Amino acid sequence: MTAATPVSPVAQVSGLTITLSRRGTATQVIRGLDLQIAPGEILGLVGESGSGKSVLGLALLGLLPTRSQPMIAGSIQVADTDMVRGSAAAIRAVLRHHLGVIFQDPMTSLNPTMRVGAQISEVHGDEAEAIRLLSEVGVSDPELRVRVFPHELSGGLRQRVMAAIAVSGKPSLIIADEPTTALDVTVQAQLLDMLRDLRDELGCSVLFITHDLAVAAQIADRIAVLYAGRLAEIGPARDVLTRPTHPYTVGLLKSRLTLATARAEVLPTMRPEAAGVALRLGGCPYHTRCPLVLDVCRAEVPELTVAPLENADAAPHLRACWRDLADVRGLAAHHEPPVAQSPALARAADQPAVEVTGLEVTFRPKSGARRAAPVLALKGVDLTVEPGEAVSIVGESGSGKSTLLRVIAGILAPTAGTVRVGEAGAQMVFQDAGSSLTPWLTVGELLRERLRPLKLGRAVTTTRIDNTLDRIGLPPEVARVRPPELSGGQRQRVALARATIIAPAVLLCDEPTSALDASLAATVLNLIRELRAELRMTVLFVTHDLAVARLMGDRIVVMTRGTIVETGAMAEVIAAPGHPYTRTLLAAVPELEARR
């Protein structure tokens, strides 16, 4: 089905405006949105964090948080039911029979005290039906899996359990909200294949919410680009990704990191914007960041109109932009002169920066656990990292990547083997900066805490904090702000500031950009490379994204099941991987050209 199908959409959003309140301040998160999802269609909804993607998904489900005091204008029709003004009984019937949902983090959606089979059966059927559904979504040994608890499954299997629950009522629409964000590339590819198969078998539609354009390319029939609660453009996936008609889409595409990105250059990023500015100003919401801005962009909101594309797909391609299409095409074709990345300089040292020998880590379940068998997380790992070197560590979840980093950082004690780190020690930057920064301390207090052992004077401490914030691209006023008041990208910068305000010998990065939008991720990656060159640090960078690994490392280490299966110079391993597992990881990297 295409956007041209006018008959009986499974969901129709008309003139939707959603206002949410936080701390007494009301903000329009969705503004005048019109959208249809056709039967059997997979619609990709893309945009940066804060664009309103998840809010739209929750509104379709009738699950907007009451604590935000939502005020809704316009209409949302699902299965001929008004999800805004319909009766509670009618909305419950739609949720039960017509809608399925897969959230980003299944652990916050699955009941940790109930076995998997009971949670599936609670929705529809009995244990036999639960086994059938798990088999349908590709779970191996479903007879065994129905009897386990969610924490006993991997991230990919938990997402498949969510999918089994989502399809149990044979819904007409599945809403998948960032279901692949924290998954490895191989598990991600499996989940995308599963959703396509479910669409083909059940005939259901899918609203696939993501900030990754390459992931959207692998699954979507149409792509809708959302910015500040408004549609920037919408059209067939191939047209949007190869012939973008809006400057915002062009910016998203240019910020993407691929296996062909030049390693010696600074990554291009989109112009940053203060939080919420686009939601408060008039005119086109993108005008404060747009390189093609006109006076009319600041004064008037552009309406969605058909883009006059030649040789476009049959479905209409709509855009909301005052600029001529030729100007946007020129922007897409224009490439800024590359800025060279400063080379990293090795520290002068006779000893390796990190030396790991015969490392083993065994996790033993606490007493009373249902299964007492120990888990061998690392098995005889040997790794030597020279001063100033950058090493990328890749592998799927459960391969031992993060465990290795935590042992090097001194957070975990090894069961066997030795770990030696340089005298200046190691500092770690975690994947979720929000949970690693003390929420009730200001940024200044967090940084001052790190400087306390140096016993510096107040004035010297303040100057050093200001200089550190300036080095990571944040103004000194941020020192008076608490982490929850910052954006995700700003929190990750603060985490880097805390780790480097006293220069460590080794910087350990554990998936620091996996949950960030493309432009924010590029900004953080540029910053880590700059800090590495300026402070002459050794960097160990854990990631499941091979494009990121290629950019950040001089050398690559591939891990699976607690062991290192391949290591070597980055260019050599990426060009000619020697181990089948490495080849599998490379084959699963999503690209803009869909695997049809």
Side-chain angles (χ1 to χ4, degrees):
M1 304 296 291
T2 69
T5 304
V7 180
S8 301
V10 296
Q12 180 161 335
V13 177
S14 302
L16 182 65
T17 296
I18 299 176
T19 302
L20 303 179
S21 296
R22 183 183 180 187
R23 297 180 182 177
T25 301
T27 304
Q28 281 190 352
V29 182
I30 300 292
R31 300 187 287 174
L33 185 67
D34 294 312
L35 189 67
Q36 289 186 356
I37 304 175
E41 176 185 37
I42 299 181
L43 176 65
L45 185 63
V46 303
E48 296 170 292
S49 296
S51 61
K53 306 185 303 295
S54 294
V55 171
L56 177 59
L58 290 173
L60 283 164
L61 292 163
L63 296 178
L64 287 172
T66 55
R67 66 179 181 275
S68 298
Q69 303 170 11
M71 294 184 290
I72 306 176
S75 68
I76 303 172
Q77 294 284 332
V78 179
D80 297 323
T81 299
D82 190 331
M83 301 297 288
V84 176
R85 298 171 186 83
S87 67
I91 291 174
R92 282 197 301 271
V94 171
L95 289 173
R96 186 173 184 84
H97 299 292
H98 296 282
L99 288 174
V101 61
I102 304 174
F103 290 110
Q104 178 175 348
D105 183 3
M107 280 304 288
T108 63
S109 307
L110 297 172
N111 189 330
T113 66
M114 291 177 64
R115 300 185 195 277
V116 164
Q119 296 191 54
I120 300 174
S121 302
E122 190 178 42
V123 183
H124 285 280
D126 52 16
E127 184 173 294
E129 177 67 4
I131 292 172
R132 187 191 69 79
L133 287 167
L134 286 177
S135 178
E136 187 173 286
V137 298
V139 174
S140 60
D141 299 323
E143 295 83 0
L144 173 65
R145 307 291 190 187
V146 293
R147 296 181 175 86
V148 304
F149 292 93
H151 71 272
E152 297 179 277
L153 299 175
S154 67
L157 284 175
R158 285 196 292 265
Q159 281 294 34
R160 288 177 182 267
V161 170
M162 282 293 302
I165 295 173
V167 303
S168 61
K170 293 183 172 53
S172 55
L173 174 63
I174 296 175
I175 297 172
D177 187 2
E178 298 275 11
T180 63
T181 296
L183 299 182
D184 311 309
V185 287
T186 51
V187 180
Q188 173 180 273
Q190 293 166 11
L191 184 65
L192 295 178
D193 289 341
M194 179 198 70
L195 285 173
R196 276 196 301 268
D197 291 343
L198 289 174
R199 187 271 302 269
D200 295 341
E201 293 170 10
L202 302 178
C204 62
S205 303
V206 179
L207 176 63
F208 192 92
I209 298 171
T210 181
H211 63 256
D212 191 326
L213 289 171
V215 170
Q218 301 306 308
I219 191 170
D221 303 312
R222 277 195 306 155
I223 288 180
V225 182
L226 197 65
Y227 183 78
R230 294 188 185 277
L231 282 179
E233 70 176 294
I234 180 171
R238 183 182 302 173
D239 284 350
V240 172
L241 298 175
T242 61
R243 288 173 284 198
T245 62
H246 195 284
Y248 177 58
T249 312
V250 172
L252 291 176
L253 288 166
K254 286 191 172 185
S255 298
R256 284 192 65 250
L257 186 60
T258 72
L259 288 172
T261 301
R263 295 184 66 241
E265 298 172 4
V266 175
L267 299 176
T269 59
M270 296 170 66
R271 185 180 301 172
E273 177 179 65
V277 166
L279 300 176
R280 297 193 297 269
L281 299 178
C284 173
Y286 189 59
H287 79 257
T288 60
R289 304 171 70 186
C290 183
L292 301 178
V293 63
L294 301 170
D295 289 341
V296 67
C297 303
R298 300 183 177 93
E300 299 181 34
V301 178
E303 297 294 330
L304 278 172
T305 56
V306 177
L309 293 175
E310 298 177 0
N311 302 319
D313 288 348
H317 187 151
L318 308 178
R319 64 191 290 259
C321 184
W322 291 114
R323 274 286 192 172
D324 291 337
L325 189 55
D327 297 329
V328 179
R329 284 174 169 168
L331 177 65
H334 176 70
H335 295 283
E336 294 288 341
V339 179
Q341 175 70 36
S342 300
L345 303 174
R347 293 174 184 253
D350 298 328
Q351 300 293 328
V354 177
E355 191 170 17
V356 175
T357 306
L359 184 64
E360 292 190 0
V361 173
T362 301
F363 294 118
R364 301 185 184 279
K366 297 178 181 179
S367 59
R370 195 167 62 87
R371 290 176 179 164
V375 177
L376 190 58
L378 293 177
K379 312 171 189 177
V381 172
D382 297 319
L383 178 64
T384 300
V385 183
E386 298 301 327
E389 187 181 18
V391 174
S392 293
I393 305 174
V394 302
E396 295 174 293
S397 296
S399 62
K401 311 184 301 295
S402 296
T403 300
L404 175 59
L405 241 61
R406 288 168 185 264
V407 173
I408 295 172
I411 298 173
L412 286 177
T415 307
T418 60
V419 176
R420 195 196 66 79
V421 182
E423 291 183 5
Q427 284 293 318
M428 193 157 176
V429 178
F430 295 91
Q431 177 176 355
D432 184 1
S435 61
S436 66
L437 300 173
T438 307
W440 55 83
L441 296 180
T442 65
V443 170
E445 290 168 338
L446 287 167
L447 299 180
R448 192 171 288 111
E449 196 175 48
R450 283 272 289 128
L451 293 174
R452 191 166 292 127
L454 300 183
K455 298 180 179 179
L456 304 174
R458 181 184 295 272
V460 175
T461 298
T462 301
T463 300
R464 189 152 176 177
I465 289 173
D466 290 347
N467 290 341
T468 301
L469 291 174
D470 180 68
R471 187 173 63 204
I472 63 167
L474 291 176
E477 293 79 19
V478 169
R480 298 191 290 273
V481 176
R482 290 180 174 82
E485 301 173 57
L486 299 173
S487 69
Q490 289 172 325
R491 285 196 294 268
Q492 203 59 279
R493 291 187 189 208
V494 170
L496 280 167
R498 184 179 62 176
T500 60
I501 193 167
I502 300 175
V506 181
L507 183 66
L508 308 171
C509 299
D510 188 6
E511 301 271 16
T513 61
S514 65
L516 299 182
D517 306 315
S519 186
L520 280 178
T523 301
V524 172
L525 294 175
N526 282 336
L527 177 58
I528 292 173
R529 294 198 292 169
E530 290 169 9
L531 291 173
R532 177 195 169 199
E534 180 181 341
L535 303 177
R536 301 186 179 186
M537 295 185 299
T538 302
V539 176
L540 270 70
F541 197 101
V542 160
T543 179
H544 62 254
D545 188 328
L546 278 126
V548 173
R550 174 183 168 276
L551 178 82
M552 300 303 292
D554 306 314
R555 183 157 57 100
I556 189 170
V557 171
V558 183
M559 295 187 68
T560 182
R561 299 183 180 182
T563 62
I564 295 174
V565 296
E566 184 166 7
T567 183
M570 183 64 69
E572 295 175 5
V573 173
I574 294 295
H579 195 278
Y581 179 68
T582 310
R583 291 195 289 271
T584 299
L585 292 178
L586 283 166
V589 175
E591 296 293 344
L592 289 181
E593 181 61 34
R595 294 189 302 270
R596 296 300 182 188

